Amino acid sequence: MRTPLITREGYEKLKQELDYLWREDRPEVTKKVTWAASLGDRSENADYQYNKKRLREIDRRVRYLTKCLEQLKVVDHSPQQEGKVFFGAWVVVENEDGETKRFRIVGYDEIFGRRDYISIDSPMARALLKKEVGDAATVNTPAGDALWYVNEIEYVK
């Protein structure tokens, strides 16, 4: 089960995508399908088949986004979070070998296309929640437990 949380920026991005798909992309593809259908034999018509498939993909994404936006809870920064790792935090961690990682803890729907975002449901995020700078977190990984130290915590305000 995914935690239904999202940052304000993530929510706005999903809303923009939904708006673009519904107001621009879908009407454009619908025109192409109508035009291709008017040419006659649809079984041999690559334009028609491709755009019809694209229309189904758009509709599937629109349904998904609509459902998501209804269920997601936007989490804004709150002053009580300062100094501890919570949802929306940018965190810098370091392991015993001196390897550092910097990432932001966000909702599942925000991690795609971002290498520096991790899901609130990931083992790393779970291990870091409520930790402070200087604290150690034990992260359960398939290769065994890994120890990470919290070096920095920052919030987008």
Side-chain angles (χ1 to χ4, degrees):
M1 176 70 185
R2 296 198 305 241
T3 307
L5 301 177
I6 193 164
T7 62
R8 174 76 51 199
E9 306 96 291
Y11 187 82
E12 292 306 322
K13 206 169 160 193
L14 291 183
K15 262 178 51 179
Q16 285 171 357
E17 182 187 353
L18 176 61
D19 195 54
Y20 169 77
L21 287 173
W22 192 249
R23 295 180 194 278
E24 294 178 42
D25 209 13
R26 194 177 193 288
E28 193 60 39
V29 174
T30 303
K31 275 187 222 158
K32 289 177 185 171
V33 167
T34 307
W35 170 80
S38 72
L39 302 176
D41 185 10
R42 295 173 190 176
S43 64
E44 297 289 315
N45 189 330
D47 262 341
Y48 176 81
Q49 289 175 342
Y50 170 78
N51 286 301
K52 197 72 178 157
K53 180 177 183 267
R54 179 76 187 109
L55 203 53
R56 284 193 301 273
E57 289 165 0
I58 291 170
D59 287 345
R60 190 177 310 120
R61 184 71 179 158
V62 163
R63 280 193 306 275
Y64 175 79
L65 289 172
T66 304
K67 198 172 133 194
C68 261
L69 292 169
E70 286 168 6
Q71 295 171 346
L72 290 168
K73 180 183 183 301
V74 176
V75 177
D76 287 312
H77 172 74
S78 127
Q80 293 96 312
Q81 294 174 309
E82 282 305 321
K84 290 189 182 232
V85 177
F86 287 107
F87 186 84
W90 279 100
V91 185
V92 177
V93 294
E94 184 177 350
N95 67 11
E96 291 157 311
D97 300 332
E99 177 192 353
T100 62
K101 291 181 184 292
R102 181 178 188 270
F103 48 78
R104 186 174 189 200
I105 299 172
V106 296
Y108 172 80
D109 292 291
E110 299 177 79
I111 61 175
F112 302 99
R114 293 292 304 250
R115 297 188 61 81
D116 56 348
Y117 277 17
I118 65 169
S119 169
I120 183 74
D121 298 315
S122 68
M124 176 70 90
R126 289 273 176 234
L128 289 172
L129 285 178
K130 299 182 183 163
K131 298 281 191 254
E132 297 177 29
V133 170
D135 286 354
T138 304
V139 183
N140 299 321
T141 70
D145 289 351
L147 197 61
W148 290 88
Y149 296 94
V150 180
N151 285 354
E152 284 175 46
I153 304 166
E154 187 186 337
Y155 287 93
V156 175
K157 291 169 187 78

